[in-house]
Amino acid sequence: MKKKFLIFSPSYKETSGGVVALHKMCSILNQVGCESYLYPYFDNCEINKRNFWKPFYMIAGNGFKSLIKGYKTNPVFNTPIYGRKNEGYWDDWVVVYPEIVFGNPLNAKNVVRWFLHQPGYHTGKIYFSSGELYYKFNSAIDNFSFPGSMTSEKHLKVIHYPLELYNMNNISKYRSGTAYCLRKGRDKPIQHDLENSILIDGKSHEEVSEIFKRVKTFISYDSYTAYSLFAVLCGCESIVIPDEGVSEEEWYPNPTDRYGLSYGFSNVERAKVTAHLVKVHVMNEHAKSVDNVKNALLEINEYFF
């Protein structure tokens, strides 16, 4: 039986690595011959007599925003949006949820959860079910198990990096200053001089790449953002502010994921030794994305069908 997939995903946003990965996975599934659609994300919340109005207003508000803004896709990807009338019968489908999804809002029979970040990191809650199949994005995601479900030993790493922007073309001859991002590390204390330092949060890839090509150093308070690699691709020193109590090996157990990155301020010179390997590594990861999806398909077939 030919598999059909629904990817439960927010609207396309180029600055969200998780959203880009979800849309890219949908596109790859279609590329390799699976019928695959995006299903627009909506909030699913715990509601009880003590917690009723807040979720109600949140869901209503987010629905209104989606109606006004519309649902965006990347025109480069093959990502049709599901719009059929016979909605609700999903027994022949595989539904892919990112780890942020609470429960099983589509009431799907075959559920894959894709851990693009640590489960519970964004919401503080985990509400999964038995009979599900879990995939970690890469070595940075902690091992996870849930009774009655299975966590694959294979990583499902799918990337789409705009290498046409993040490269060594038109770099500044004389670099100065720093750039930094907060993103998911916004609660960490600032550890660098903010004078002559540019915050890249919220800027487009075009703006960020131009900044990376003229500053000397990029500092990320978010431990797991691709912008740290983007900076290396543009010739920057790239420093990641460590998470408290997390060693370098625990941060990224796979050494290739640490190429060009200084975990803390004391490892900059060591990071420079592997900086030249980052571009090849990223290009290899691009090529592997299709293989990773194909390998997951084999396992999904064995698990659900």
Side-chain angles (χ1 to χ4, degrees):
M1 181 176 61
K2 192 174 183 179
K3 309 300 180 299
K4 296 184 290 187
F5 284 80
L6 286 178
I7 313 297
F8 193 73
S9 173
S11 179
Y12 191 80
K13 185 178 181 182
E14 68 168 17
T15 56
S16 171
V19 173
V20 172
L22 288 162
H23 284 237
K24 182 65 177 289
M25 182 181 181
C26 181
S27 185
I28 292 175
L29 285 167
N30 283 313
Q31 176 186 333
V32 300
C34 293
E35 186 179 351
S36 182
Y37 300 87
L38 294 172
Y39 194 104
Y41 174 95
F42 59 85
D43 288 304
N44 192 48
C45 303
E46 179 183 13
I47 298 179
N48 55 54
K49 66 179 182 179
R50 295 182 178 178
N51 182 39
F52 177 79
W53 291 111
K54 184 177 179 181
F56 176 79
Y57 285 124
M58 181 182 72
I59 291 172
N62 288 341
F64 180 73
K65 290 178 182 178
S66 297
L67 184 65
I68 296 297
K69 294 182 178 180
Y71 190 84
K72 298 178 181 179
T73 60
N74 186 332
V76 176
F77 295 165
N78 181 5
T79 51
I81 303 170
Y82 188 85
R84 298 181 184 177
K85 294 182 179 180
N86 62 335
E87 181 174 326
Y89 181 75
W90 307 122
D91 285 5
D92 297 333
W93 294 71
V94 174
V95 174
V96 179
Y97 293 126
E99 85 292 339
I100 60 172
V101 174
F102 183 89
N104 182 5
L106 296 183
N107 196 29
K109 178 182 177 182
N110 309 306
V111 171
V112 168
R113 291 194 194 267
W114 194 10
F115 299 155
L116 302 168
H117 208 296
Q118 312 295 353
Y121 176 87
H122 292 283
T123 62
K125 294 182 178 181
I126 296 173
Y127 188 73
F128 300 163
S129 298
S130 62
E132 300 178 343
L133 178 58
Y134 306 139
Y135 284 96
K136 296 163 53 175
F137 182 79
N138 62 12
S139 67
I141 308 299
D142 295 335
N143 291 330
F144 180 88
S145 62
F146 190 90
S149 292
M150 186 181 90
T151 302
S152 174
E153 295 182 358
K154 301 180 178 70
H155 292 164
L156 182 51
K157 187 173 184 179
V158 175
I159 65 169
H160 180 77
Y161 292 166
L163 299 181
E164 70 278 6
L165 295 172
Y166 295 109
N167 51 50
M168 296 294 285
N169 298 337
N170 302 314
I171 62 171
S172 177
K173 186 176 181 180
Y174 302 102
R175 293 178 178 268
S176 65
T178 64
Y180 71 105
C181 77
L182 300 176
R183 294 173 67 85
K184 294 186 286 293
R186 64 181 64 89
D187 294 330
K188 291 180 180 178
I190 297 299
Q191 298 187 30
H192 76 284
D193 187 354
L194 293 179
E195 186 176 352
N196 196 24
S197 191
I198 305 167
L199 179 64
I200 68 165
D201 290 9
K203 296 185 182 298
S204 68
H205 282 308
E206 288 82 359
E207 292 173 306
V208 174
S209 64
E210 188 275 329
I211 292 169
F212 283 169
K213 291 181 180 183
R214 60 183 169 86
V215 300
K216 180 181 179 183
T217 306
F218 174 62
I219 302 164
S220 177
Y221 289 83
D222 183 341
S223 308
Y224 300 106
T225 175
Y227 283 98
S228 294
L229 288 180
F230 296 164
V232 178
L233 292 171
C234 294
C236 276
E237 298 173 348
S238 188
I239 298 169
V240 176
I241 302 300
D243 292 329
E244 186 175 355
V246 178
S247 70
E248 186 176 38
E249 290 72 22
E250 291 170 330
W251 167 54
Y252 272 127
N254 188 342
T256 62
D257 291 329
R258 304 196 297 262
Y259 283 170
L261 306 180
S262 175
Y263 193 58
F265 290 95
S266 61
N267 297 316
V268 174
E269 293 304 316
R270 190 182 69 186
K272 289 180 181 179
V273 175
T274 56
H276 70 286
L277 300 173
V278 170
K279 183 177 180 179
V280 173
H281 175 60
V282 168
M283 293 179 70
N284 287 339
E285 293 299 320
H286 262 272
K288 288 179 183 177
S289 293
V290 175
D291 290 335
N292 291 340
V293 172
K294 287 181 177 179
N295 290 333
L297 280 173
L298 294 174
E299 193 168 40
I300 289 168
N301 180 59
E302 292 178 358
Y303 190 77
F304 291 120
F305 300 99

